[in-house]
Amino acid sequence: MTPMVDLAFLLVTFFMLTTKFAPEEVVMVDTPSSTSDLKLPDTNLITLSVDKDGKTYFALDSEPAKILMLEKVGAKYGISFTPQQKKRFGQMTSFGVPIQQLGSLLDRSKEEIKTIKQPGIPTDSTNNQIIDWVIQGRAANQQLFKKPVYIAIKGDNNADVPTVRKLIKYMQDKDINRFNLITDLEMKPKLVSN
């Protein structure tokens, strides 16, 4: 009996040490299902989430690349950030505010940020900040890690198609033609033989 208990504790310890929890996202997105079983990489990934209201959110997995991207996008819009704000931005998993509001968001505690309903990143034709984040995120990742970044669009099942289509068009206008759509895995239909 004792060896079984020891084995059980060893297994529990192993799983506790090797488990990687999914990062907490700023918005819940209920993705549609498909039969594609292509798996996205865990690193070098930009995720653009579109919620059911058509608001767009941005996520990049690398902390140093996020900080470099923040500096470059901030420079474009004439906004500077403190070292504390940059550090907090690097630790965020995703965000969805215009860059003009990002500084005040980063001044809040992590617990306060979780309670704030973020309005989404502007994607208008006159104020298209999401494409700036994508371009600078790709450039920062390439500069730091010398690796290309994958772009994934995670659209909600109830999001309107024109919003996602508009996002794809903005990327294609900037010659970004390779991206993935995130879906839930659906069981493939079985072939019936006679």
PDB file of all heavy atoms in Angstrom, residues 70-103:
ATOM      1  N   LEU A  70       5.284  48.116 -27.842  1.00  0.00           N
ATOM      2  CA  LEU A  70       4.636  49.249 -27.174  1.00  0.00           C
ATOM      3  C   LEU A  70       5.423  50.540 -27.432  1.00  0.00           C
ATOM      4  O   LEU A  70       4.837  51.589 -27.714  1.00  0.00           O
ATOM      5  CB  LEU A  70       4.530  48.989 -25.673  1.00  0.00           C
ATOM      6  CG  LEU A  70       3.939  50.114 -24.839  1.00  0.00           C
ATOM      7  CD1 LEU A  70       2.482  50.344 -25.179  1.00  0.00           C
ATOM      8  CD2 LEU A  70       4.106  49.815 -23.350  1.00  0.00           C
ATOM      9  N   GLU A  71       6.744  50.457 -27.355  1.00  0.00           N
ATOM     10  CA  GLU A  71       7.575  51.643 -27.603  1.00  0.00           C
ATOM     11  C   GLU A  71       7.403  52.145 -29.035  1.00  0.00           C
ATOM     12  O   GLU A  71       7.295  53.349 -29.273  1.00  0.00           O
ATOM     13  CB  GLU A  71       9.048  51.309 -27.320  1.00  0.00           C
ATOM     14  CG  GLU A  71       9.329  51.061 -25.863  1.00  0.00           C
ATOM     15  CD  GLU A  71      10.715  50.502 -25.608  1.00  0.00           C
ATOM     16  OE1 GLU A  71      11.412  50.107 -26.581  1.00  0.00           O
ATOM     17  OE2 GLU A  71      11.096  50.445 -24.435  1.00  0.00           O
ATOM     18  N   LYS A  72       7.355  51.213 -29.992  1.00  0.00           N
ATOM     19  CA  LYS A  72       7.250  51.617 -31.398  1.00  0.00           C
ATOM     20  C   LYS A  72       5.874  52.192 -31.726  1.00  0.00           C
ATOM     21  O   LYS A  72       5.767  53.202 -32.420  1.00  0.00           O
ATOM     22  CB  LYS A  72       7.557  50.426 -32.304  1.00  0.00           C
ATOM     23  CG  LYS A  72       9.019  50.032 -32.283  1.00  0.00           C
ATOM     24  CD  LYS A  72       9.301  48.894 -33.223  1.00  0.00           C
ATOM     25  CE  LYS A  72      10.793  48.594 -33.254  1.00  0.00           C
ATOM     26  NZ  LYS A  72      11.123  47.541 -34.197  1.00  0.00           N
ATOM     27  N   VAL A  73       4.816  51.550 -31.235  1.00  0.00           N
ATOM     28  CA  VAL A  73       3.471  52.073 -31.497  1.00  0.00           C
ATOM     29  C   VAL A  73       3.267  53.387 -30.753  1.00  0.00           C
ATOM     30  O   VAL A  73       2.690  54.334 -31.286  1.00  0.00           O
ATOM     31  CB  VAL A  73       2.389  51.033 -31.125  1.00  0.00           C
ATOM     32  CG1 VAL A  73       0.996  51.618 -31.286  1.00  0.00           C
ATOM     33  CG2 VAL A  73       2.536  49.783 -31.978  1.00  0.00           C
ATOM     34  N   GLY A  74       3.785  53.470 -29.532  1.00  0.00           N
ATOM     35  CA  GLY A  74       3.701  54.717 -28.779  1.00  0.00           C
ATOM     36  C   GLY A  74       4.405  55.858 -29.488  1.00  0.00           C
ATOM     37  O   GLY A  74       3.909  56.989 -29.534  1.00  0.00           O
ATOM     38  N   ALA A  75       5.584  55.567 -30.075  1.00  0.00           N
ATOM     39  CA  ALA A  75       6.328  56.601 -30.810  1.00  0.00           C
ATOM     40  C   ALA A  75       5.524  57.089 -32.007  1.00  0.00           C
ATOM     41  O   ALA A  75       5.525  58.286 -32.319  1.00  0.00           O
ATOM     42  CB  ALA A  75       7.683  56.053 -31.253  1.00  0.00           C
ATOM     43  N   LYS A  76       4.822  56.187 -32.683  1.00  0.00           N
ATOM     44  CA  LYS A  76       4.025  56.590 -33.844  1.00  0.00           C
ATOM     45  C   LYS A  76       2.911  57.549 -33.448  1.00  0.00           C
ATOM     46  O   LYS A  76       2.611  58.491 -34.173  1.00  0.00           O
ATOM     47  CB  LYS A  76       3.427  55.363 -34.526  1.00  0.00           C
ATOM     48  CG  LYS A  76       2.549  55.735 -35.707  1.00  0.00           C
ATOM     49  CD  LYS A  76       1.983  54.555 -36.419  1.00  0.00           C
ATOM     50  CE  LYS A  76       1.111  55.084 -37.574  1.00  0.00           C
ATOM     51  NZ  LYS A  76       0.509  54.037 -38.322  1.00  0.00           N
ATOM     52  N   TYR A  77       2.302  57.315 -32.293  1.00  0.00           N
ATOM     53  CA  TYR A  77       1.187  58.156 -31.851  1.00  0.00           C
ATOM     54  C   TYR A  77       1.639  59.272 -30.902  1.00  0.00           C
ATOM     55  O   TYR A  77       0.802  59.996 -30.368  1.00  0.00           O
ATOM     56  CB  TYR A  77       0.116  57.287 -31.181  1.00  0.00           C
ATOM     57  CG  TYR A  77      -0.647  56.449 -32.175  1.00  0.00           C
ATOM     58  CD1 TYR A  77      -0.211  55.166 -32.495  1.00  0.00           C
ATOM     59  CD2 TYR A  77      -1.764  56.943 -32.825  1.00  0.00           C
ATOM     60  CE1 TYR A  77      -0.883  54.394 -33.418  1.00  0.00           C
ATOM     61  CE2 TYR A  77      -2.449  56.181 -33.755  1.00  0.00           C
ATOM     62  CZ  TYR A  77      -2.001  54.905 -34.051  1.00  0.00           C
ATOM     63  OH  TYR A  77      -2.681  54.151 -34.981  1.00  0.00           O
ATOM     64  N   GLY A  78       2.951  59.407 -30.672  1.00  0.00           N
ATOM     65  CA  GLY A  78       3.459  60.472 -29.817  1.00  0.00           C
ATOM     66  C   GLY A  78       3.133  60.273 -28.350  1.00  0.00           C
ATOM     67  O   GLY A  78       2.958  61.249 -27.606  1.00  0.00           O
ATOM     68  N   ILE A  79       3.073  59.022 -27.911  1.00  0.00           N
ATOM     69  CA  ILE A  79       2.747  58.704 -26.514  1.00  0.00           C
ATOM     70  C   ILE A  79       3.919  57.928 -25.930  1.00  0.00           C
ATOM     71  O   ILE A  79       4.398  56.956 -26.515  1.00  0.00           O
ATOM     72  CB  ILE A  79       1.456  57.864 -26.432  1.00  0.00           C
ATOM     73  CG1 ILE A  79       0.280  58.672 -26.988  1.00  0.00           C
ATOM     74  CG2 ILE A  79       1.180  57.429 -24.998  1.00  0.00           C
ATOM     75  CD1 ILE A  79      -0.994  57.883 -27.145  1.00  0.00           C
ATOM     76  N   SER A  80       4.381  58.382 -24.751  1.00  0.00           N
ATOM     77  CA  SER A  80       5.463  57.659 -24.095  1.00  0.00           C
ATOM     78  C   SER A  80       4.923  56.981 -22.832  1.00  0.00           C
ATOM     79  O   SER A  80       3.920  57.412 -22.261  1.00  0.00           O
ATOM     80  CB  SER A  80       6.616  58.600 -23.755  1.00  0.00           C
ATOM     81  OG  SER A  80       6.157  59.621 -22.905  1.00  0.00           O
ATOM     82  N   PHE A  81       5.611  55.942 -22.423  1.00  0.00           N
ATOM     83  CA  PHE A  81       5.192  55.164 -21.267  1.00  0.00           C
ATOM     84  C   PHE A  81       6.338  55.083 -20.267  1.00  0.00           C
ATOM     85  O   PHE A  81       7.506  55.058 -20.648  1.00  0.00           O
ATOM     86  CB  PHE A  81       4.777  53.749 -21.702  1.00  0.00           C
ATOM     87  CG  PHE A  81       3.588  53.733 -22.624  1.00  0.00           C
ATOM     88  CD1 PHE A  81       3.767  53.739 -23.991  1.00  0.00           C
ATOM     89  CD2 PHE A  81       2.297  53.756 -22.121  1.00  0.00           C
ATOM     90  CE1 PHE A  81       2.670  53.737 -24.850  1.00  0.00           C
ATOM     91  CE2 PHE A  81       1.200  53.758 -22.966  1.00  0.00           C
ATOM     92  CZ  PHE A  81       1.387  53.762 -24.331  1.00  0.00           C
ATOM     93  N   THR A  82       5.998  55.023 -18.996  1.00  0.00           N
ATOM     94  CA  THR A  82       7.009  54.906 -17.948  1.00  0.00           C
ATOM     95  C   THR A  82       7.546  53.478 -17.931  1.00  0.00           C
ATOM     96  O   THR A  82       6.892  52.560 -18.443  1.00  0.00           O
ATOM     97  CB  THR A  82       6.398  55.235 -16.575  1.00  0.00           C
ATOM     98  OG1 THR A  82       5.418  54.225 -16.257  1.00  0.00           O
ATOM     99  CG2 THR A  82       5.753  56.610 -16.566  1.00  0.00           C
ATOM    100  N   PRO A  83       8.724  53.271 -17.329  1.00  0.00           N
ATOM    101  CA  PRO A  83       9.240  51.896 -17.228  1.00  0.00           C
ATOM    102  C   PRO A  83       8.276  50.960 -16.492  1.00  0.00           C
ATOM    103  O   PRO A  83       8.152  49.788 -16.863  1.00  0.00           O
ATOM    104  CB  PRO A  83      10.541  52.066 -16.436  1.00  0.00           C
ATOM    105  CG  PRO A  83      10.972  53.460 -16.743  1.00  0.00           C
ATOM    106  CD  PRO A  83       9.704  54.252 -16.876  1.00  0.00           C
ATOM    107  N   GLN A  84       7.572  51.477 -15.472  1.00  0.00           N
ATOM    108  CA  GLN A  84       6.590  50.651 -14.764  1.00  0.00           C
ATOM    109  C   GLN A  84       5.430  50.255 -15.681  1.00  0.00           C
ATOM    110  O   GLN A  84       4.964  49.112 -15.654  1.00  0.00           O
ATOM    111  CB  GLN A  84       6.067  51.409 -13.536  1.00  0.00           C
ATOM    112  CG  GLN A  84       5.128  50.615 -12.673  1.00  0.00           C
ATOM    113  CD  GLN A  84       5.809  49.424 -12.010  1.00  0.00           C
ATOM    114  OE1 GLN A  84       7.010  49.426 -11.783  1.00  0.00           O
ATOM    115  NE2 GLN A  84       5.042  48.395 -11.725  1.00  0.00           N
ATOM    116  N   GLN A  85       4.957  51.189 -16.504  1.00  0.00           N
ATOM    117  CA  GLN A  85       3.868  50.893 -17.435  1.00  0.00           C
ATOM    118  C   GLN A  85       4.321  49.866 -18.478  1.00  0.00           C
ATOM    119  O   GLN A  85       3.567  48.964 -18.837  1.00  0.00           O
ATOM    120  CB  GLN A  85       3.387  52.170 -18.124  1.00  0.00           C
ATOM    121  CG  GLN A  85       2.635  53.115 -17.214  1.00  0.00           C
ATOM    122  CD  GLN A  85       2.335  54.442 -17.891  1.00  0.00           C
ATOM    123  OE1 GLN A  85       3.103  54.923 -18.733  1.00  0.00           O
ATOM    124  NE2 GLN A  85       1.212  55.050 -17.507  1.00  0.00           N
ATOM    125  N   LYS A  86       5.561  50.004 -18.963  1.00  0.00           N
ATOM    126  CA  LYS A  86       6.080  49.037 -19.942  1.00  0.00           C
ATOM    127  C   LYS A  86       6.160  47.645 -19.334  1.00  0.00           C
ATOM    128  O   LYS A  86       5.804  46.653 -19.979  1.00  0.00           O
ATOM    129  CB  LYS A  86       7.466  49.469 -20.430  1.00  0.00           C
ATOM    130  CG  LYS A  86       7.455  50.711 -21.282  1.00  0.00           C
ATOM    131  CD  LYS A  86       8.863  51.104 -21.642  1.00  0.00           C
ATOM    132  CE  LYS A  86       8.911  52.435 -22.348  1.00  0.00           C
ATOM    133  NZ  LYS A  86      10.290  52.875 -22.628  1.00  0.00           N
ATOM    134  N   LYS A  87       6.615  47.576 -18.102  1.00  0.00           N
ATOM    135  CA  LYS A  87       6.729  46.276 -17.433  1.00  0.00           C
ATOM    136  C   LYS A  87       5.347  45.643 -17.265  1.00  0.00           C
ATOM    137  O   LYS A  87       5.165  44.456 -17.540  1.00  0.00           O
ATOM    138  CB  LYS A  87       7.398  46.447 -16.070  1.00  0.00           C
ATOM    139  CG  LYS A  87       7.594  45.153 -15.326  1.00  0.00           C
ATOM    140  CD  LYS A  87       8.278  45.386 -14.003  1.00  0.00           C
ATOM    141  CE  LYS A  87       8.395  44.054 -13.252  1.00  0.00           C
ATOM    142  NZ  LYS A  87       8.929  44.235 -11.921  1.00  0.00           N
ATOM    143  N   ARG A  88       4.386  46.438 -16.840  1.00  0.00           N
ATOM    144  CA  ARG A  88       3.023  45.917 -16.656  1.00  0.00           C
ATOM    145  C   ARG A  88       2.418  45.497 -17.997  1.00  0.00           C
ATOM    146  O   ARG A  88       1.742  44.483 -18.082  1.00  0.00           O
ATOM    147  CB  ARG A  88       2.150  46.958 -15.976  1.00  0.00           C
ATOM    148  CG  ARG A  88       0.764  46.424 -15.683  1.00  0.00           C
ATOM    149  CD  ARG A  88       0.017  47.195 -14.660  1.00  0.00           C
ATOM    150  NE  ARG A  88       0.604  46.949 -13.356  1.00  0.00           N
ATOM    151  CZ  ARG A  88       0.545  47.796 -12.351  1.00  0.00           C
ATOM    152  NH1 ARG A  88      -0.067  48.940 -12.490  1.00  0.00           N
ATOM    153  NH2 ARG A  88       1.086  47.513 -11.197  1.00  0.00           N
ATOM    154  N   PHE A  89       2.689  46.260 -19.056  1.00  0.00           N
ATOM    155  CA  PHE A  89       2.187  45.888 -20.387  1.00  0.00           C
ATOM    156  C   PHE A  89       2.779  44.549 -20.835  1.00  0.00           C
ATOM    157  O   PHE A  89       2.088  43.720 -21.411  1.00  0.00           O
ATOM    158  CB  PHE A  89       2.520  46.985 -21.398  1.00  0.00           C
ATOM    159  CG  PHE A  89       1.971  46.715 -22.767  1.00  0.00           C
ATOM    160  CD1 PHE A  89       0.632  46.919 -23.044  1.00  0.00           C
ATOM    161  CD2 PHE A  89       2.788  46.248 -23.782  1.00  0.00           C
ATOM    162  CE1 PHE A  89       0.120  46.665 -24.304  1.00  0.00           C
ATOM    163  CE2 PHE A  89       2.292  45.999 -25.048  1.00  0.00           C
ATOM    164  CZ  PHE A  89       0.949  46.209 -25.299  1.00  0.00           C
ATOM    165  N   GLY A  90       4.074  44.354 -20.551  1.00  0.00           N
ATOM    166  CA  GLY A  90       4.718  43.095 -20.912  1.00  0.00           C
ATOM    167  C   GLY A  90       4.104  41.899 -20.209  1.00  0.00           C
ATOM    168  O   GLY A  90       4.121  40.789 -20.723  1.00  0.00           O
ATOM    169  N   GLN A  91       3.542  42.127 -19.027  1.00  0.00           N
ATOM    170  CA  GLN A  91       2.953  41.025 -18.257  1.00  0.00           C
ATOM    171  C   GLN A  91       1.488  40.763 -18.608  1.00  0.00           C
ATOM    172  O   GLN A  91       0.932  39.757 -18.206  1.00  0.00           O
ATOM    173  CB  GLN A  91       3.082  41.320 -16.764  1.00  0.00           C
ATOM    174  CG  GLN A  91       4.520  41.379 -16.306  1.00  0.00           C
ATOM    175  CD  GLN A  91       4.666  41.919 -14.900  1.00  0.00           C
ATOM    176  OE1 GLN A  91       3.744  42.516 -14.353  1.00  0.00           O
ATOM    177  NE2 GLN A  91       5.839  41.725 -14.322  1.00  0.00           N
ATOM    178  N   MET A  92       0.864  41.691 -19.333  1.00  0.00           N
ATOM    179  CA  MET A  92      -0.539  41.506 -19.707  1.00  0.00           C
ATOM    180  C   MET A  92      -0.642  40.436 -20.794  1.00  0.00           C
ATOM    181  O   MET A  92       0.214  40.356 -21.665  1.00  0.00           O
ATOM    182  CB  MET A  92      -1.144  42.809 -20.255  1.00  0.00           C
ATOM    183  CG  MET A  92      -1.320  43.884 -19.219  1.00  0.00           C
ATOM    184  SD  MET A  92      -1.897  45.442 -19.934  1.00  0.00           S
ATOM    185  CE  MET A  92      -3.544  45.010 -20.432  1.00  0.00           C
ATOM    186  N   THR A  93      -1.692  39.638 -20.750  1.00  0.00           N
ATOM    187  CA  THR A  93      -1.870  38.624 -21.796  1.00  0.00           C
ATOM    188  C   THR A  93      -2.508  39.222 -23.041  1.00  0.00           C
ATOM    189  O   THR A  93      -2.130  38.894 -24.149  1.00  0.00           O
ATOM    190  CB  THR A  93      -2.742  37.462 -21.294  1.00  0.00           C
ATOM    191  OG1 THR A  93      -3.961  37.993 -20.795  1.00  0.00           O
ATOM    192  CG2 THR A  93      -2.031  36.684 -20.213  1.00  0.00           C
ATOM    193  N   SER A  94      -3.484  40.103 -22.851  1.00  0.00           N
ATOM    194  CA  SER A  94      -4.134  40.744 -23.983  1.00  0.00           C
ATOM    195  C   SER A  94      -4.728  42.069 -23.522  1.00  0.00           C
ATOM    196  O   SER A  94      -4.847  42.324 -22.328  1.00  0.00           O
ATOM    197  CB  SER A  94      -5.228  39.844 -24.566  1.00  0.00           C
ATOM    198  OG  SER A  94      -6.216  39.583 -23.597  1.00  0.00           O
ATOM    199  N   PHE A  95      -5.087  42.901 -24.485  1.00  0.00           N
ATOM    200  CA  PHE A  95      -5.684  44.184 -24.148  1.00  0.00           C
ATOM    201  C   PHE A  95      -6.629  44.599 -25.273  1.00  0.00           C
ATOM    202  O   PHE A  95      -6.550  44.074 -26.385  1.00  0.00           O
ATOM    203  CB  PHE A  95      -4.624  45.258 -23.902  1.00  0.00           C
ATOM    204  CG  PHE A  95      -3.894  45.679 -25.143  1.00  0.00           C
ATOM    205  CD1 PHE A  95      -4.274  46.825 -25.822  1.00  0.00           C
ATOM    206  CD2 PHE A  95      -2.860  44.936 -25.649  1.00  0.00           C
ATOM    207  CE1 PHE A  95      -3.624  47.225 -26.975  1.00  0.00           C
ATOM    208  CE2 PHE A  95      -2.207  45.306 -26.814  1.00  0.00           C
ATOM    209  CZ  PHE A  95      -2.579  46.459 -27.474  1.00  0.00           C
ATOM    210  N   GLY A  96      -7.493  45.585 -24.963  1.00  0.00           N
ATOM    211  CA  GLY A  96      -8.440  46.063 -25.966  1.00  0.00           C
ATOM    212  C   GLY A  96      -8.852  47.495 -25.726  1.00  0.00           C
ATOM    213  O   GLY A  96     -10.033  47.772 -25.558  1.00  0.00           O
ATOM    214  N   VAL A  97      -7.881  48.395 -25.687  1.00  0.00           N
ATOM    215  CA  VAL A  97      -8.177  49.820 -25.527  1.00  0.00           C
ATOM    216  C   VAL A  97      -7.404  50.612 -26.585  1.00  0.00           C
ATOM    217  O   VAL A  97      -6.360  50.172 -27.047  1.00  0.00           O
ATOM    218  CB  VAL A  97      -7.795  50.346 -24.122  1.00  0.00           C
ATOM    219  CG1 VAL A  97      -8.627  49.692 -23.048  1.00  0.00           C
ATOM    220  CG2 VAL A  97      -6.322  50.157 -23.847  1.00  0.00           C
ATOM    221  N   PRO A  98      -7.903  51.791 -26.961  1.00  0.00           N
ATOM    222  CA  PRO A  98      -7.112  52.661 -27.841  1.00  0.00           C
ATOM    223  C   PRO A  98      -5.813  53.059 -27.133  1.00  0.00           C
ATOM    224  O   PRO A  98      -5.772  53.130 -25.898  1.00  0.00           O
ATOM    225  CB  PRO A  98      -8.021  53.885 -28.037  1.00  0.00           C
ATOM    226  CG  PRO A  98      -9.386  53.422 -27.684  1.00  0.00           C
ATOM    227  CD  PRO A  98      -9.222  52.343 -26.668  1.00  0.00           C
ATOM    228  N   ILE A  99      -4.783  53.317 -27.887  1.00  0.00           N
ATOM    229  CA  ILE A  99      -3.480  53.616 -27.280  1.00  0.00           C
ATOM    230  C   ILE A  99      -3.541  54.882 -26.415  1.00  0.00           C
ATOM    231  O   ILE A  99      -2.796  55.003 -25.450  1.00  0.00           O
ATOM    232  CB  ILE A  99      -2.371  53.710 -28.351  1.00  0.00           C
ATOM    233  CG1 ILE A  99      -1.017  53.723 -27.651  1.00  0.00           C
ATOM    234  CG2 ILE A  99      -2.579  54.912 -29.257  1.00  0.00           C
ATOM    235  CD1 ILE A  99       0.145  53.428 -28.521  1.00  0.00           C
ATOM    236  N   GLN A 100      -4.460  55.787 -26.721  1.00  0.00           N
ATOM    237  CA  GLN A 100      -4.589  57.000 -25.919  1.00  0.00           C
ATOM    238  C   GLN A 100      -5.062  56.686 -24.498  1.00  0.00           C
ATOM    239  O   GLN A 100      -4.810  57.461 -23.575  1.00  0.00           O
ATOM    240  CB  GLN A 100      -5.564  57.974 -26.588  1.00  0.00           C
ATOM    241  CG  GLN A 100      -5.087  58.532 -27.917  1.00  0.00           C
ATOM    242  CD  GLN A 100      -5.342  57.592 -29.107  1.00  0.00           C
ATOM    243  OE1 GLN A 100      -5.896  56.514 -28.951  1.00  0.00           O
ATOM    244  NE2 GLN A 100      -4.903  58.008 -30.291  1.00  0.00           N
ATOM    245  N   GLN A 101      -5.740  55.562 -24.293  1.00  0.00           N
ATOM    246  CA  GLN A 101      -6.232  55.171 -22.971  1.00  0.00           C
ATOM    247  C   GLN A 101      -5.345  54.117 -22.309  1.00  0.00           C
ATOM    248  O   GLN A 101      -5.586  53.730 -21.167  1.00  0.00           O
ATOM    249  CB  GLN A 101      -7.658  54.604 -23.085  1.00  0.00           C
ATOM    250  CG  GLN A 101      -8.664  55.581 -23.623  1.00  0.00           C
ATOM    251  CD  GLN A 101     -10.015  54.922 -23.864  1.00  0.00           C
ATOM    252  OE1 GLN A 101     -10.272  53.814 -23.412  1.00  0.00           O
ATOM    253  NE2 GLN A 101     -10.877  55.612 -24.582  1.00  0.00           N
ATOM    254  N   LEU A 102      -4.332  53.647 -23.032  1.00  0.00           N
ATOM    255  CA  LEU A 102      -3.528  52.538 -22.524  1.00  0.00           C
ATOM    256  C   LEU A 102      -2.715  52.929 -21.283  1.00  0.00           C
ATOM    257  O   LEU A 102      -2.579  52.139 -20.354  1.00  0.00           O
ATOM    258  CB  LEU A 102      -2.598  52.028 -23.632  1.00  0.00           C
ATOM    259  CG  LEU A 102      -1.881  50.717 -23.378  1.00  0.00           C
ATOM    260  CD1 LEU A 102      -2.859  49.602 -23.045  1.00  0.00           C
ATOM    261  CD2 LEU A 102      -1.048  50.328 -24.587  1.00  0.00           C
ATOM    262  N   GLY A 103      -2.189  54.147 -21.242  1.00  0.00           N
ATOM    263  CA  GLY A 103      -1.404  54.587 -20.090  1.00  0.00           C
ATOM    264  C   GLY A 103      -2.217  54.574 -18.807  1.00  0.00           C
ATOM    265  O   GLY A 103      -1.744  54.096 -17.767  1.00  0.00           O
TER     266      GLY A 103
END
